[in-house]
Amino acid sequence: MRGPDSVAPGRRSLGDRFYRPVTAACAAAIPLVLTMLAVYLLHGAWPVLSTHAGQLLTGSVWDVPRGQFGALPVIGGTLLSSLLALVLATPLALSVAILSAELAPRAVREPLTFLVNLLAAIPSVVYGLWGIYVLLPFLRRTVMPGLMLLPGSLFRGPAYGPSLLAATLLLAAMILPFIAGVSRDVLLAVPRAQREAALALGATRWEMIRDAVLPAARPGLFGGIMLGLGRALGETMAVTMVIGNRHALPSSLLDPTYTMASLLANEFAEASSATHLAALLAVATVLLALTLLVNVIARWLVARVERGASMPGRWA
Amino acid sequence: MRRTVLVGAVLLSGVLLANCNRGGDGSGEARTSAPVVNGVRVDLTGAGATFPYPLYARWFNEYAQQTNVRINYQSIGSGGGIRQVVARTVDFGATDVPMSDEELVSANVKVLHIPTVIGAVALTYNLPGLKHPLRLSGEVIADIFLGRVTRWNDPRIAALNDDLALPAADILVVHRADGSGTSYIFSDYLASVSPAWASGPGRGKEVRWPVGIGGKGNEGVAGQVKQMIGALGYLEVVYARQNRLPVVHVRNREGRFISPMPFEIASAATAVLDSVNARATGGTDADLRLSIVNAPGAQSYPIASFTWMLLAPDAIGRAKTEQLVAFLRWALLESGDIASTLGYVPLPSDAAARIVERLERVTNVPASSR
């Protein structure tokens, strides 16, 4: 059994012998679970996917008693709310990460990190309740009337409160700690020598961060952002409580809309007809596929950016 | 350490007490109505509607103390209750929405619907400064939820409330977003009073709402209505009463404006059961999947409904059927005022007696087994 280069049997620990198979098994469990999930969803969704896939993806009428299942509004609502939340949260989260990793004095760093991590630990139903009792009244009374004075259709009323805007703001608050936490760790992992080299070349602190730290950390930062996006796409409870749950694509930020995860949470428990169940599972399948697709696109983007970043002369 | 000992002592005494109870039951079983199988504990399982869950939990708890029959119930929703009864994974189901004819046919087993308690839907609104409750008719409610009546000072609303100063504001409609028996009862009512609603959104636990926003659960709808001046939403009546929300007085078939109070809700059930009885006299089996929305009777509140237990005698066998029939006899006729103290509207006693009598006849479980 012994390979030619192995150590003497007495000195070889149990850990060494089992380490590889155990880690391999654990790693294999992840694609296995994902595959099982996909197979289950596809199997359950097949009655609808095999016959009405077109209606599901392009139809906008969700009428359960009449058996019409068009999921375009929920797909659109999910993408819009998640991407807008990402646009809002990313600059904030990166600023927090840069501040707590590079700029802030030591006495501020630890409390700041602690507070950001605390944000990540709040259950989403608490975010939802905060959304209902604090965010929505504030938006309805203070923010929305002001926004409605602006020209253009982006902020057209009526100001219900529950809206794409409310969901976006809440989601941004929820994914911020994830992006900030990952980004901070990534920034801290950039070798010290890199910063010192930049400073030695006469860079200011800002130039050092911009030209030496951020480019080196870029793949990790993208990873953090993608983690945030994944969470935003799948977030259910809090969004359900503030988005208005209306089966319509929003034409303004103040319009109520719907997301796939909210639809599943709302209708799954009471779905008694076979078609309705299959339609909900089909929506779940689309959500899974969409998440995978977003991740693949993000990886491709990161790879492209990386090739660009490694070109010589960038720091000159 | 101290704490552990204390917890242990409490647990132990709980077990001892439970055993005492069981011993007591054994000696008292002659006076209880449940047939006892060799004096051993009987466990039954059920699943379904969430609306009657607090009541069922109390019923099962009381019943377990009086007999040796323990009933476990999971409030997973009406849809789940129907699915599980048909799949035969539970001994009984519970639902706020009667099974459709197609569902009954595809079930491959005969499923009985037994009304257990009456639910109702109240409309609540946020219009500060009204000197008495708002009054609406079914036609106007339907047109508001269809998006045809959009302002509070619409002449059709004003005509029903000539002494109220209604604001020139938009009506902000709030409906349930999650599938629910409450939505079923409400849409069933709208469909029965408005042809446009019947041919439009129709009846269902979830329908395609033409206007408004969706709140999750009764608390979601109540939260939105409380926050938005000009809002109108519908709720399960127990929730509305417990939270002291203003409720709309709804015009019934006889043209009277009725508030959703227990007597008025029970009147709807009595009126419908009476009319069914008048039609089906003799030994014919009346289907108890009765809709009691828009009921006749001067006192009847028009947005009410039964909630049902689902029993499939052929699927669970003789012994369990007898156990469940005995339980239902106790719950409907002998459980006292448990239902009303919890805020539910119990079946009127003569209606309950008729339902139990019919159940015993259909399942061939004689009342004399007590």
Side-chain angles (χ1 to χ4, degrees), chain B residues 93-143:
Chain B
T95 182
D96 299 333
V97 182
M99 291 169 71
S100 63
D101 292 340
E102 301 89 77
E103 280 176 326
L104 282 175
V105 168
S106 65
N108 286 324
V109 64
K110 191 181 176 197
V111 180
L112 301 175
H113 286 65
I114 303 119
T116 54
V117 71
I118 311 168
V121 172
L123 284 138
T124 185
Y125 55 93
N126 184 342
L127 289 174
L130 294 192
K131 53 186 176 175
H132 61 74
L134 188 71
R135 294 191 295 255
L136 292 174
S137 66
E139 296 78 10
V140 171
I141 296 171
D143 279 351

Side-chain angles (χ1 to χ4, degrees), chain B residues 77-100:
Chain B
S78 299
I82 292 174
R83 281 206 300 272
Q84 293 217 15
V85 160
V86 171
R88 309 186 180 197
T89 50
V90 290
D91 300 321
F92 68 93
T95 182
D96 299 333
V97 182
M99 291 169 71
S100 63

Side-chain angles (χ1 to χ4, degrees), chain A residues 81-105:
Chain A
S81 59
S82 300
L83 292 175
L84 287 174
L86 202 66
V87 168
L88 276 181
T90 302
L92 279 171
L94 290 184
S95 308
V96 171
I98 292 171
L99 187 75
S100 68
E102 306 284 341
L103 299 177

Side-chain angles (χ1 to χ4, degrees), chain A residues 122-302:
Chain A
I122 297 175
S124 66
V125 66
V126 175
Y127 273 103
L129 287 172
W130 178 82
I132 285 188
Y133 290 108
V134 182
L135 182 66
L136 291 187
F138 176 67
L139 287 178
R140 187 184 302 120
R141 288 191 205 125
T142 314
V143 179
M144 287 182 170
L147 288 177
M148 282 160 72
L149 299 177
L150 296 175
S153 64
L154 203 55
F155 299 107
R156 191 166 293 157
Y160 275 116
S163 56
L164 177 62
L165 179 67
T168 300
L169 292 175
L170 200 65
L171 274 177
M174 293 178 75
I175 64 177
L176 186 139
F178 286 86
I179 304 178
V182 171
S183 303
R184 176 181 170 274
D185 292 346
V186 168
L187 292 177
L188 288 178
V190 173
R192 218 183 148 70
Q194 194 129 336
R195 293 163 220 248
E196 284 166 358
L199 292 174
L201 288 173
T204 64
R205 201 153 185 202
W206 162 239
E207 286 167 343
M208 180 267 282
I209 293 170
R210 190 190 59 191
D211 294 337
V213 179
L214 287 184
R218 198 170 302 172
L221 297 181
F222 262 102
I225 294 169
M226 282 310 114
L227 191 70
L229 181 59
R231 188 171 152 99
L233 286 171
E235 175 50 43
T236 309
M237 205 56 216
V239 173
T240 306
M241 291 160 91
V242 301
I243 202 165
N245 300 311
R246 177 148 195 75
H247 276 289
L249 280 173
S251 58
S252 128
L253 277 170
L254 309 191
D255 280 350
T257 179
Y258 220 147
T259 69
M260 287 188 268
S262 296
L263 176 66
L264 294 174
N266 278 332
E267 296 199 354
F268 209 85
E270 289 288 344
S272 49
S273 87
T275 328
H276 188 195
L277 260 182
L280 290 175
L281 288 172
V283 171
T285 312
V286 172
L287 179 58
L288 184 70
L290 198 70
T291 313
L292 287 177
L293 191 71
V294 163
N295 270 293
V296 168
I297 291 174
R299 295 229 152 253
W300 177 73
L301 274 177
V302 172

